[in-house]
Amino acid sequence: MFTSEKGVVEEWLSEFKTLTETSLPNYATNLKDKSSLVSSLYKVIQEPQSELLEPVCHQLFEFYRSGEEQLLRFTLQFLPELIWCYLAVSASRNVHSSGCIEALLLGVYNLEIVDKHGHSKVLSFTIPSLSKPSVYHEPSSIGSMALTESALSQHGLSKVVYSGPHPQREMLTAQNRFEVLTFLLLCYNAALTYMPSVSLQSLCQICSRICVCGYPRQHVRKYKGISSRIPVSSGFMVQMLTGIYFAFYNGEWDLAQKALDDITYRAQLELYPEPLLVANAIKASLPHGTMKSSKEGTRCIQVEITPTSSRISRNAVTSMSIRGHRWKRHEQPDNNNDTTELGILVIPEISVTNVAGERTGNGEKGRTLGEIDAQHIQGVQETATDPRTESKGLPEIRRQKSVRKMMEDGINSPGRVQF
């Protein structure tokens, strides 16, 4: 640690002691912009033998219990690094050098499990019902399952998960260690949106180190330091994955991808089903293409939302489309001198089925083209099926084709036209 960095930390320690309660909000607002102070504090925490470690931990705890929200978040950003240092020292059996870090972690834990009045907190979480739509699903796309969930929701049978009350802890042991650390990571994940990028980087790095230390992958990652294995619990790994998933879309794609692979690697070795389930779900939800840069800031999670209104294909055959279907009517070309209307055009007297066609009398309205076409189709069918027309079938079919051609060309037939 350089002398300049040591001087920044010492100035920070002395400055807070001279503050009054009225000036505390302004001090907390300006504290997050001091990047040099944050980097110096990280170096102090990473050196367990540093003489500044104990006063730094004490002041971070004072920040946390001050009641100022921004000072509380300032302490939370160092939580992943503090957890790593504690686990690394515990794995090396050098417990005495981690006393101040253990006291800070226990202090934060004991403050979080009680409310402002000193009563134990009970955290609750309502599991979302599949019968109600969200940005992730539509009930209509689930099928019969949505009906069952809907019936349950009408009776108010919603499942609520409770966490707590948590007991007070005076010291960390092998039995309660990961119970406390898992709860601390839960508090850290609750404030992820306020964490700076340096804190997210620290989270990804310590997750990788915790999962691969003492295993063959440590040589692949080229991690130096301790070589003994660090025990982890299933719940602790799930909380790590929660933070990693947030880091993916907030500027730390590369580090988060590496941490996800290492957590999956460790979960497979430990045969933990919960971390494996969450890790595989995260991998399935990630975009196929890798982000171009890990420093492009916050990214959005793209979710395909099913529209609420049901979509019907325009090409679908419905009763309306069948009723709306009509034979195409051919209009005659406009002619000012021609007063013949299309509706009074009649078919000439041609025998198709050896039966004379009906004639229209004077003053009687002519048949429409739709009736003509229907009789034409019926005549062709009768021509093919009536044995009496076998000898005259050829000339009659030719005559019929000529009439049909005149009708399609829109030319007045040479037959009789009623005026």
Side-chain angles (χ1 to χ4, degrees):
M1 187 175 183
F2 297 103
T3 307
S4 58
E5 297 173 341
K6 184 177 180 181
V8 171
V9 175
E10 291 176 347
E11 181 182 357
W12 170 71
L13 291 172
S14 60
E15 182 182 6
F16 180 72
K17 297 178 181 179
T18 60
L19 293 176
T20 60
E21 294 183 0
T22 56
S23 60
L24 197 60
N26 293 332
Y27 172 79
T29 304
N30 299 327
L31 191 62
K32 62 180 181 180
D33 299 329
K34 298 181 178 181
S35 57
S36 58
L37 172 63
V38 173
S39 61
S40 300
L41 290 176
Y42 269 107
K43 291 184 178 180
V44 171
I45 296 173
Q46 292 169 359
E47 296 180 4
Q49 305 300 330
S50 176
E51 59 182 7
L52 294 176
L53 181 59
E54 185 175 351
V56 165
C57 291
H58 176 74
Q59 184 145 319
L60 289 177
F61 178 70
E62 292 294 331
F63 279 8
Y64 204 88
R65 71 174 185 175
S66 64
E68 188 67 31
E69 193 69 24
Q70 294 185 357
L71 292 180
L72 184 146
R73 295 168 186 166
F74 183 83
T75 301
L76 274 181
Q77 68 177 324
F78 300 102
L79 194 59
E81 196 69 33
L82 290 168
I83 291 176
W84 159 250
C85 293
Y86 169 75
L87 290 176
V89 172
S90 300
S92 61
R93 302 291 192 273
N94 189 9
V95 183
H96 298 287
S97 61
S98 64
C100 55
I101 296 179
E102 180 180 345
L104 175 58
L105 295 176
L106 279 174
V108 173
Y109 168 81
N110 290 326
L111 286 176
E112 282 293 335
I113 63 175
V114 295
D115 55 14
K116 296 180 180 179
H117 304 287
H119 303 295
S120 298
K121 286 182 181 178
V122 178
L123 304 179
S124 61
F125 176 76
T126 303
I127 298 179
S129 175
L130 296 178
S131 63
K132 298 179 181 180
S134 68
V135 295
Y136 298 104
H137 82 289
E138 282 291 334
S140 59
S141 62
I142 301 178
S144 59
M145 186 186 301
L147 299 176
T148 305
E149 291 287 339
S150 178
L152 292 176
S153 64
Q154 292 177 1
H155 295 281
L157 300 177
S158 57
K159 187 175 182 181
V160 181
V161 179
Y162 296 98
S163 175
H166 297 276
Q168 294 277 343
R169 299 295 183 185
E170 297 181 358
M171 63 179 301
L172 293 177
T173 62
Q175 294 179 348
N176 63 20
R177 177 178 301 156
F178 281 100
E179 178 186 349
V180 174
L181 296 182
T182 301
F183 184 81
L184 290 176
L185 268 187
L186 176 65
C187 299
Y188 176 82
N189 291 332
L192 272 174
T193 54
Y194 305 102
M195 296 296 105
S197 60
V198 62
S199 182
L200 296 179
Q201 294 172 11
S202 174
L203 174 67
C204 297
Q205 291 171 357
I206 70 107
C207 288
S208 293
R209 288 179 178 271
I210 290 174
C211 292
V212 303
C213 279
Y215 291 91
R217 182 170 282 202
Q218 181 178 4
H219 303 289
V220 178
R221 299 299 188 195
K222 298 180 180 180
Y223 291 149
K224 298 180 180 180
I226 65 170
S227 58
S228 56
R229 297 181 181 181
I230 299 177
V232 291
S233 65
S234 176
F236 184 76
M237 297 181 71
V238 171
Q239 293 300 326
M240 287 196 298
L241 287 169
T242 304
I244 293 301
Y245 188 45
F246 180 84
F248 264 110
Y249 297 95
N250 290 271
E252 304 302 331
W253 178 274
D254 297 333
L255 289 175
Q257 182 68 57
K258 184 184 297 184
L260 179 61
D261 294 339
D262 293 337
I263 294 175
T264 306
Y265 168 78
R266 181 64 181 272
Q268 291 173 347
L269 294 176
E270 300 285 353
L271 297 178
Y272 286 154
E274 292 86 358
L276 284 175
L277 178 64
V278 177
N280 290 328
I282 292 176
K283 286 183 178 181
S285 66
L286 293 178
H288 298 290
T290 308
M291 302 289 186
K292 294 182 180 179
S293 175
S294 61
K295 305 298 180 184
E296 295 182 4
T298 304
R299 297 187 178 275
C300 300
I301 301 177
Q302 297 180 357
V303 180
E304 183 179 357
I305 301 177
T306 306
T308 55
S309 60
S310 59
R311 292 179 292 184
I312 301 178
S313 175
R314 294 182 179 180
N315 297 326
V317 178
T318 61
S319 59
M320 291 298 295
S321 64
I322 295 175
R323 280 182 286 181
H325 181 71
R326 295 291 183 271
W327 293 97
K328 295 182 180 180
R329 301 189 178 188
H330 303 276
E331 297 180 358
Q332 293 182 351
D334 296 338
N335 190 356
N336 296 333
N337 298 326
D338 190 4
T339 60
T340 304
E341 294 180 359
L342 183 61
I344 59 177
L345 179 64
V346 296
I347 194 168
E349 185 179 1
I350 301 176
S351 177
V352 177
T353 60
N354 270 346
V355 180
E358 295 181 0
R359 298 185 182 183
T360 56
N362 292 335
E364 183 182 356
K365 189 176 180 179
R367 290 172 293 177
T368 61
L369 286 178
E371 298 173 350
I372 296 172
D373 291 340
Q375 291 184 2
H376 161 64
I377 296 174
Q378 182 179 2
V380 174
Q381 292 176 351
E382 292 177 357
T383 303
T385 57
D386 195 350
R388 295 177 296 176
T389 59
E390 293 180 357
S391 59
K392 298 181 181 180
L394 184 59
E396 289 174 354
I397 290 175
R398 288 179 179 175
R399 287 169 126 192
Q400 189 67 28
K401 288 183 178 180
S402 63
V403 174
R404 184 179 179 183
K405 183 177 182 182
M406 286 188 296
M407 295 291 295
E408 292 177 350
D409 295 339
I411 303 176
N412 293 334
S413 68
R416 289 175 287 183
V417 179
Q418 302 293 332
F419 292 94

